[in-house]
């Protein structure tokens, strides 16, 4: 379900409609895009991994978390240089 929104976001990047220049801008532009595309979901940044009941991990925060009462999605981003 989230995949189609991620693909649409990438298309917007390719067309130059959204500009990103580092990982921080990628994270926030994607979050803004998803908030607009998914009004029935919460979109949060840098959410602690405990939100997903993860305990045995080095990672402490998830870049973007999308959720409602029935579903949870985690997005971890890396920006290629």
């Amino acid at each position: 379900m989230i995949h189609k929104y991620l693909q649409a976001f990438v298309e917007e990047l390719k067309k130059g409609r959204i500009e990103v220049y580092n990982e921080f801008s990628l994270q926030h532009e994607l979050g803004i895009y998803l908030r607009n595309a998914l009004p029935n979901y919460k979109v949060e940044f840098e959410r602690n991994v405990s939100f997903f009941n993860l305990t045995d991990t080095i990672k402490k925060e998830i870049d973007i978390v999308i959720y409602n009462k029935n579903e949870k999605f985690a997005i971890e981003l890396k920006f290629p240089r």
Side-chain angles (χ1 to χ4, degrees):
M1 187 267 221
I2 294 297
H3 293 98
K4 71 178 182 178
Y5 296 103
L6 296 176
Q7 289 173 338
F9 177 78
V10 170
E11 289 303 314
E12 294 296 307
L13 290 174
K14 288 179 182 178
K15 293 175 183 173
R17 294 184 184 144
I18 298 173
E19 184 178 339
V20 296
Y21 46 88
N22 61 24
E23 190 170 317
F24 183 79
S25 71
L26 174 61
Q27 181 180 7
H28 285 83
E29 292 294 344
L30 177 57
I32 291 166
Y33 182 87
L34 292 171
R35 277 186 179 158
N36 289 327
L38 300 165
N40 296 323
Y41 286 78
K42 285 210 168 247
V43 177
E44 298 178 346
F45 299 93
E46 296 297 326
R47 187 74 192 245
N48 193 283
V49 297
S50 64
F51 183 69
F52 290 94
N53 297 319
L54 300 174
T55 56
D56 190 25
T57 179
I58 295 171
K59 186 77 180 152
K60 299 296 180 207
E61 286 90 23
I62 302 296
D63 287 340
I64 298 175
V65 172
I66 305 159
Y67 67 97
N68 63 18
K69 65 180 182 175
N70 300 315
E71 299 177 290
K72 291 182 183 179
F73 302 95
I75 299 174
E76 186 64 26
L77 300 169
K78 296 297 173 222
F79 186 80
R81 298 200 177 247

